[in-house]
Every structure is written in C-alpha cells, then in structure tokens.
Amino acid sequence: MEKSVYFATLDQYKYSPAMVVRASEGGQIVAATEAVVAKVYQDNELGNVVEMDLGDGYILTYGQLHDIAVSQGQYVTTGQLIARAGAPTRYYSVEGCNVYVKLTKEGK
C-alpha cells in the first residue's frame, strides 16, 4: 500500500490492501495453492468472500464471488474450483467484474 489507487465507482483515490483483478462474470476462480477454507461469508463491499488458511499465519482472501463451491474447513488443492466470478458489488460497479485478492500474514 505504497500508493493510492483511483476507484472510479467511488470517484476517489484510496489505499487498497488487495489486488483487484479483472474477470469475466461466471469465470472460474481456482485455488492459487493448497489450503484450508477458513471462512465463507458475505460482505457489503466485497460480496461473497472465501478466506483460505495457507498455514504459518497466512490468509488468502478472494472476494466478488458467485456460486461458491467450497465450505469452511474443507481442504483444497492447487487449481481446484472454489467459485465463479460474480457481478461487481456497488463499490466496484464502474470498474466492472473483478476478483478481489488479498494476502495477509497474522492479520497484516
């Protein structure tokens, strides 16, 4: 988070703790690596969210999802389908369909 990023929907610059990767609505979202599904939940800004526990305090968060194919506590392997890209929430409506991806270590 060294530089602010312009968010067209909000018409403002802000710091983003994640990458927002363009996607096609309904496109497959697969696990980047093996992990355990730590949480599956809904968030106003990020839509449907899956958090993956990678071990050693690392959590990989995927947001803006649809048709989630995994559940909390499930072990997933690299390349396994976890969800499909969903329609953007109102916070990303101008940016279009995307997948929110954030990596944290011990919450930071």
Side-chain angles (χ1 to χ4, degrees):
M1 294 191 344
E2 296 174 358
K3 294 171 68 176
S4 61
V5 176
Y6 181 71
F7 283 81
T9 301
L10 303 174
D11 191 26
Q12 67 178 320
Y13 285 87
K14 69 179 203 173
Y15 289 93
S16 177
M19 295 187 309
V20 177
V21 181
R22 180 179 298 167
S24 296
E25 193 169 335
Q28 292 187 349
I29 309 303
V30 298
T33 189
E34 59 186 50
V36 175
V37 179
K39 286 186 195 176
V40 177
Y41 61 95
Q42 201 283 328
D43 178 84
N44 286 337
E45 183 176 349
L46 303 178
N48 294 313
V49 178
V50 172
E51 289 186 2
M52 311 287 262
D53 185 343
L54 307 180
D56 294 326
Y58 286 97
I59 300 289
L60 183 57
T61 302
Y62 299 88
Q64 304 278 6
L65 305 176
H66 181 66
D67 288 338
I68 294 173
V70 295
S71 57
Q72 186 171 335
Q74 182 179 346
Y75 175 81
V76 298
T77 58
T78 305
Q80 181 177 336
L81 177 70
I82 58 170
R84 297 198 174 270
T89 63
R90 64 184 177 140
Y91 294 89
Y92 292 91
S93 61
V94 174
E95 287 83 3
C97 186
N98 66 77
V99 176
Y100 175 95
V101 182
K102 177 176 76 170
L103 179 66
T104 56
K105 179 166 174 71
E106 298 170 357
K108 297 181 180 187

